[in-house]
């Protein structure tokens, strides 16, 4: 007995569900058709309002062809009329007359004396250049004066035994007092004993100093010494 009420309640529930589905389907069908009709109708009306038929394009007429401008011909230049030159004014012409005028001064003219002759220019010779100064008079020192008491050099004894002989030239510097301050062998005899004897002898001598234009001057002087065996 309990099973029958359960079946009735299930069937009732199914029936109510089926009816509810039908009602919902009808409602959905009606509402969907209305929306679709609205979707289809509204856009067509809106497009009908905004779409206008295309107007035909009117092209402007082409411009008329330009006529070429006529070239201007150069007008000939009319020369300006030149003014007529006026004749030059007449100048009075002097006419020589043989008869003197009434107020002319008469007299005798005397000829002027001729001008004096012009003297020819005298050429002046340029002054002669000054004569060059005379060369200075040089007087060399001297060692041969008797009052100087210069003795001849002594011949070295060994050189005599060995037969050494020759000529020695000694170069000496003589000051203004006649003293030999420096001396050197200029030309050797070939033997050292003879050279040294001549050098010492010349350094011990006294001299007359050299002179330039009469004034004593210190200078070099060459003194020859000969060693000759007799």
């Amino acid at each position: 007995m309990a099973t029958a009420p359960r079946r009735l309640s299930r069937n009732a529930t199914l029936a109510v569900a089926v009816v509810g589905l039908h009602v919902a389907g009808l409602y959905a069908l009606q509402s969907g058709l209305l929306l679709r009709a609205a979707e289809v109708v509204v856009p067509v009306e809106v497009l009908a309002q905004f779409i206008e038929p295309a107007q035909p394009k009117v092209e402007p007429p082409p411009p008329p062809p330009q006529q070429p401008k006529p070239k201007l011909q150069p007008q000939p230049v009319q020369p300006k009329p030149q003014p007529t030159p006026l004749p030059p004014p007449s100048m009075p012409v002097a006419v020589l007359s043989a008869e003197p005028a009434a107020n002319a001064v008469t007299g005798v003219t005397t000829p002027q004396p001729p001008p004096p002759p012009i003297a020819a220019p005298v050429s002046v010779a340029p002054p002669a250049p000054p004569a060059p100064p005379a060369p200075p008079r040089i007087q060399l020192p001297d060692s041969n004066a008797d009052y100087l008491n210069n003795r001849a050099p002594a011949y070295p004894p060994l050189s005599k035994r060995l037969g050494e002989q020759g000529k020695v030239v000694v170069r000496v510097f003589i000051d203004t007092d006649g003293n030999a301050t420096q001396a050197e062998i200029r030309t050797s005899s070939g033997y050292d004993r003879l050279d040294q004897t001549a050098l010492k002898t010349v350094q011990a001598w006294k001299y007359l100093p050299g002179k330039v234009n009469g004034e004593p001057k210190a200078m070099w002087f060459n003194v020859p010494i000969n060693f000759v065996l007799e």
Side-chain angles (χ1 to χ4, degrees):
M1 293 298 290
T3 307
R6 290 179 179 177
R7 289 181 180 175
L8 288 174
S9 60
R10 183 180 296 177
N11 292 333
T13 302
L14 291 174
V16 171
V18 170
V19 172
L21 290 174
H22 281 83
V23 173
L26 291 174
Y27 179 78
L29 180 62
Q30 291 179 358
S31 60
L33 291 174
L34 292 175
L35 290 173
R36 187 176 181 181
E39 290 176 359
V40 172
V41 172
V42 173
V44 171
E45 291 179 357
V46 175
L47 291 174
Q49 291 178 3
F50 288 99
I51 297 175
E52 294 181 359
Q55 298 295 331
K57 186 178 181 180
V58 179
E59 296 182 358
Q66 296 182 357
Q67 296 295 332
K69 295 182 180 180
K71 296 183 179 181
L72 298 178
Q73 298 295 332
Q75 298 294 332
V77 179
Q78 297 293 335
K80 294 182 180 181
Q82 301 292 334
T84 303
L86 298 177
S90 59
M91 300 296 292
V93 180
V95 178
L96 297 177
S97 176
E99 297 180 359
N103 56 353
V105 179
T106 60
V108 179
T109 59
T110 58
Q112 297 293 328
I118 299 174
V122 178
S123 60
V124 178
R137 293 183 296 105
I138 299 176
Q139 182 178 355
L140 297 177
D142 187 10
S143 62
N144 296 323
D146 294 337
Y147 64 88
L148 295 176
N149 297 322
N150 292 328
R151 296 181 180 181
Y155 213 111
L158 184 57
S159 296
K160 285 184 178 182
R161 288 197 299 267
L162 296 176
E164 297 175 353
Q165 59 181 355
K167 179 179 180 179
V168 183
V169 177
V170 182
R171 187 167 178 260
V172 188
F173 186 77
I174 310 301
D175 62 9
T176 55
D177 294 332
N179 298 318
T181 58
Q182 301 180 43
E184 59 185 16
I185 301 298
R186 182 178 180 85
T187 304
S188 174
S189 64
Y191 302 99
D192 184 64
R193 280 183 293 271
L194 299 180
D195 295 343
Q196 293 301 321
T197 301
L199 183 63
K200 293 178 180 179
T201 302
V202 169
Q203 286 179 325
W205 283 355
K206 293 290 294 183
Y207 299 87
L208 293 177
K211 295 181 181 179
V212 177
N213 292 331
E215 295 183 2
K217 295 291 183 182
M219 63 182 65
W220 287 92
F221 178 56
N222 294 330
V223 180
I225 303 295
N226 290 317
F227 292 93
V228 179
L229 293 174
E230 296 178 355

